[in-house]
Amino acid sequence: MESVLSVQNIEKYYGSKGAITRAINHISLEVGEGEFLGIMGASGSGKTTLLNCISTIDKVTAGRIIVGGRDVTHLKGKELSKFRRQQLGFIFQDFNLLDTLTAYENIALALSIQSVPAQEIEQRVRKVAAQLSIGHVLDKFPYQMSGGEKQRTASARAIITNPSLILADEPTGALDSKSARMLLDSLVRMNDGLGATILMVTHDAFTASYAKRILFIKDGEIFSELVRGGDSRKEFFERILQVVTLLGGDSDVLY
């Protein structure tokens, strides 16, 4: 399996010599093409810092991050912006949709920036909207949509440019249980049906059970790893809860 993401012995420190906080301590991991990887950990464990470093929002103190064969740790300015547009897709907890644009326009925006022809844009938007079951909201503005529809619109926006890696930060955190299930089913369809490579950060065992592999972070280090294998999602969920108990954390349970 070809590696899409390679995190190589990264460290991240905050503060000055008098008061240094080590948020990430020598973390290494690999994500293969077409994987659906979950990152779990309690608040303050370092999982969000790890995501921020991978997404190039934050800079590592030491180590390397390779995305699509390219070392992103030293990218700056226009080169960094271009890399984010072309190689990364983002799904945020608070959707980050533009209120003055319809769902269609929100999804199409990234393609417009890349000067994709209008006819191709329409074909691609309608195709991904159908795959994520949001064709009926394409003409609606965000205030006219449910939370689940907004999040699936954000997911369509994330995948429309065919990025190397989709990064999801607590994607179900602002959703009710029904909308959360619909979004997670959509992520599975993106992964299985469209071959999307997904890295998802979550504190919730139910959400994590949709992934195929999970890394648990504690005190800035990898604590444990679980691979779903042939387990049903419910069996995987139970195994996740066992590790969460060992970590001493808590998790929302939606079953």
Side-chain angles (χ1 to χ4, degrees):
M1 183 185 298
E2 184 177 348
S3 177
V4 169
L5 170 66
S6 178
V7 175
Q8 301 175 2
N9 200 33
I10 66 168
E11 301 175 53
K12 179 62 182 178
Y13 300 154
Y14 293 105
S16 58
K17 290 183 179 180
I20 293 178
T21 299
R22 181 181 292 178
I24 298 177
N25 184 24
H26 297 288
I27 284 183
S28 296
L29 63 91
E30 299 280 334
V31 180
E33 185 176 3
E35 266 206 276
F36 187 170
L37 175 68
I39 304 287
M40 289 196 75
S43 297
S45 63
K47 66 183 187 299
T48 299
T49 301
L50 175 61
L51 183 70
N52 287 344
C53 290
I54 293 171
S55 67
T56 71
I57 291 172
D58 210 347
K59 290 284 188 182
V60 298
T61 304
R64 302 171 70 207
I65 297 175
I66 313 295
V67 179
R70 189 173 189 185
D71 188 341
V72 304
T73 51
H74 301 296
L75 295 181
K76 295 179 181 179
K78 292 182 179 179
E79 192 177 21
L80 178 58
S81 297
K82 181 180 180 181
F83 168 79
R84 287 173 178 162
R85 287 197 309 269
Q86 295 182 347
Q87 300 299 323
L88 300 179
F90 297 92
I91 303 175
F92 301 97
Q93 180 176 333
D94 56 0
F95 318 132
N96 280 14
L97 298 176
L98 297 176
D99 293 334
T100 56
L101 300 182
T102 64
Y104 179 97
E105 292 166 337
N106 267 285
I107 297 167
L109 183 60
L111 296 178
S112 299
I113 292 172
Q114 295 181 9
S115 300
V116 175
Q119 185 175 1
E120 183 182 342
I121 289 176
E122 181 171 3
Q123 291 173 347
R124 288 170 65 174
V125 170
R126 296 197 181 281
K127 180 179 179 181
V128 74
Q131 289 165 330
L132 297 181
S133 303
I134 52 169
H136 63 290
V137 302
L138 287 178
D139 294 328
K140 292 184 178 181
F141 291 93
Y143 74 89
Q144 297 173 309
M145 293 184 267
S146 69
E149 289 168 343
K150 290 178 187 177
Q151 194 59 293
R152 280 180 285 148
T153 298
S155 299
R157 179 187 59 190
I159 201 172
I160 194 71
T161 58
N162 299 316
S164 297
L165 181 64
I166 294 175
L167 302 171
D169 184 13
E170 298 283 2
T172 61
L175 302 178
D176 58 48
S177 58
K178 180 180 178 181
S179 295
R181 285 184 173 90
M182 292 179 69
L183 170 67
L184 292 166
D185 287 339
S186 296
L187 291 180
V188 170
R189 287 200 296 273
M190 289 164 63
N191 177 241
D192 289 340
L194 303 178
T197 304
I198 302 173
L199 188 153
M200 176 178 68
V201 167
T202 182
H203 72 283
D204 172 34
F206 174 80
T207 299
S209 70
Y210 280 76
K212 295 177 179 176
R213 179 167 66 100
I214 299 173
L215 294 177
F216 296 87
I217 307 295
K218 182 177 182 180
D219 299 330
E221 300 178 351
I222 294 177
F223 173 81
S224 182
E225 177 182 15
L226 284 182
V227 177
R228 179 170 171 179
D231 284 357
S232 68
R233 189 170 54 76
K234 191 162 187 177
E235 289 170 336
F236 195 36
F237 172 77
E238 296 294 341
R239 290 171 58 201
I240 294 167
L241 286 182
Q242 292 174 9
V243 179
V244 169
T245 301
L246 287 174
L247 280 168
D250 52 25
S251 178
D252 299 327
V253 179
L254 300 184
Y255 272 106

